[in-house]
Amino acid sequence: MNPCGTGRCRSDDRELFRVGDELRQGRQAATDLLGLMRQQEYLSAAANATSSDPALGLAMKIVDSFSNSLSMLGCQDPAAMGGGSSESNNKRSSSSSGGRKRNKPRKADSWTEVTSALIDDGHAWRKYGQKPILNAKHPRNYFRCTSKPDCQALKRVQKMDDNDDDDRPMYKIIHTGLHTCLKPLNPSNVFGDMDSSIYLNFEISEQRNNKEPSDSLEILATLSPEFTVREVSKDNQTGSSSTPLSENAETDTSPSENAQCCFDDFDYLIGSLEFNEYALSGAALRF
DNA sequence: TCCATTTGACCGTG
DNA sequence: CACGGTCAAATGGA
């Protein structure tokens, strides 16, 4: 049985969370390293017109290894779970016998995450129940996704025990059912765990469609959650008519050093992921 | 008045 | 039969 998945192992959850946290940190570090190496290779490739660093392959393997380990712990995103869409998730449309509709089978496809923070995942959740759980200090809360009326996604949130020696409480969140209300621009729909990651939503401006040289490309990006940055085309430093993607953006200024640094990485990600400019538009990346 | 939350009851599963 | 998941009426807030 998967120790971090749908099985019951509350006494181990805290330990598993720590393991998962370590793995996430490792994956993040490996990803950072990979980004640096790719940037180095990118720069040298521009000079030498050759680019094949075997160390890159190793770094990618390390990242994959961390990701796989997280998967084995059941801490990955739902898409990676193979997302069975069995109708067992839908209990509300069945049996019309009598007055009340009945519970769904307990064996719905589900995936579990343990987090120290309840993060807004971009969906609208409505609480529909709360139950005290045997041998648990805290009750379990039941939420249904209301982003769309027919969305079948459910989640059960329970504050975990044994948090007294720690400042931050931890929550076990069991997701059940699949969203039918996908929001493509929401990074949480693309990536499952959001801990300590930076999300970048971006758009390619219309200029790209004019087949102009790449140095006239204008990119709008929102770095989640704090600020919005804008890379202005190099031959049009002022008077850009574009608007930031985020309404609550804190800044809307010409690129700071940080922003430029981010865009250096970003430019590199474009190449490394082999997206074309059209596929990129409206997508989201985490790094 | 509308909508979200609370809460007790119902009922399927093991 | 105990437990857990869901329903739906009651309640409260905007």
Side-chain angles (χ1 to χ4, degrees):
Chain A
M1 175 194 297
N2 184 347
C4 193
T6 57
R8 296 180 189 175
C9 51
R10 281 188 306 104
S11 61
D12 295 334
D13 284 341
R14 185 175 173 80
E15 193 61 30
L16 286 171
F17 172 77
R18 286 177 174 152
V19 172
D21 208 35
E22 285 298 318
L23 287 172
R24 271 190 287 270
Q25 288 182 38
R27 183 179 61 179
Q28 186 62 49
T31 302
D32 292 344
L33 174 63
L34 186 60
L36 286 173
M37 293 174 67
R38 281 172 163 165
Q39 191 169 9
Q40 290 294 330
E41 190 198 54
Y42 178 75
L43 295 174
S44 63
N48 306 335
T50 66
S51 65
S52 60
D53 188 350
L56 271 178
L58 286 175
M60 292 175 69
K61 279 187 179 179
I62 294 172
V63 174
D64 287 344
S65 184
F66 278 116
S67 296
N68 291 337
S69 299
L70 284 165
S71 297
M72 292 172 189
L73 279 176
C75 301
Q76 76 270 49
D77 57 272
M81 293 287 287
S85 58
S86 73
E87 44 135 358
S88 64
N89 296 326
N90 183 6
K91 61 283 148 199
R92 307 154 70 74
S93 58
S94 59
S95 112
S96 57
S97 65
R100 296 183 81 137
K101 303 162 190 172
R102 241 338 58 204
N103 305 347
K104 57 114 175 296
R106 293 190 179 183
K107 285 187 179 178
D109 291 324
S110 64
W111 57 283
T112 303
E113 70 178 309
V114 180
T115 177
S116 60
L118 293 174
I119 301 170
D120 178 10
D121 59 5
H123 293 283
W125 296 97
R126 179 173 182 169
K127 186 176 179 179
Y128 65 88
Q130 174 177 314
K131 286 285 287 187
I133 301 301
L134 194 68
N135 296 328
K137 282 184 190 173
H138 308 286
R140 179 173 295 169
N141 297 283
Y142 301 86
F143 295 89
R144 173 176 296 125
C145 179
T146 58
S147 297
K148 220 179 167 185
D150 60 343
C151 185
Q152 298 171 5
L154 305 173
K155 71 176 179 181
R156 308 193 286 271
V157 179
Q158 186 169 10
K159 190 176 180 181
M160 294 171 61
D161 302 344
D162 306 326
N163 296 325
D164 305 326
D165 58 334
D166 207 334
D167 286 342
R168 53 178 191 178
M170 284 182 289
Y171 301 89
K172 183 176 182 178
I173 305 176
I174 304 171
H175 296 262
T176 308
L178 297 176
H179 285 283
T180 60
C181 56
L182 293 180
K183 297 176 182 176
L185 272 177
N186 189 327
S188 64
N189 290 328
V190 183
F191 304 101
D193 70 284
M194 300 178 66
D195 306 3
S196 68
S197 296
I198 298 172
Y199 294 91
L200 178 60
N201 293 328
F202 50 87
E203 279 183 351
I204 306 296
S205 77
E206 296 300 323
Q207 291 184 21
R208 195 54 170 173
N209 296 327
N210 299 334
K211 310 289 185 193
E212 294 182 18
S214 61
D215 62 354
S216 68
L217 173 65
E218 179 171 318
I219 300 170
L220 302 177
T222 305
L223 277 169
S224 177
E226 301 90 353
F227 49 80
T228 293
V229 293
R230 169 190 300 167
E231 176 157 70
V232 182
S233 59
K234 291 169 185 171
D235 53 355
N236 181 21
Q237 293 288 336
T238 61
S240 169
S241 62
S242 9
T243 54
L245 295 177
S246 172
E247 290 296 336
N248 55 2
E250 190 172 285
T251 66
D252 179 19
T253 62
S254 54
S256 63
E257 271 191 26
N258 267 349
Q260 189 59 55
C261 173
C262 290
F263 273 103
D264 288 341
D265 293 337
F266 170 64
D267 283 341
Y268 193 75
L269 274 172
I270 293 175
S272 66
L273 292 175
E274 297 182 352
F275 285 138
N276 62 42
E277 58 269 36
Y278 303 106
L280 274 169
S281 183
L285 279 180
R286 182 186 66 175
F287 61 94

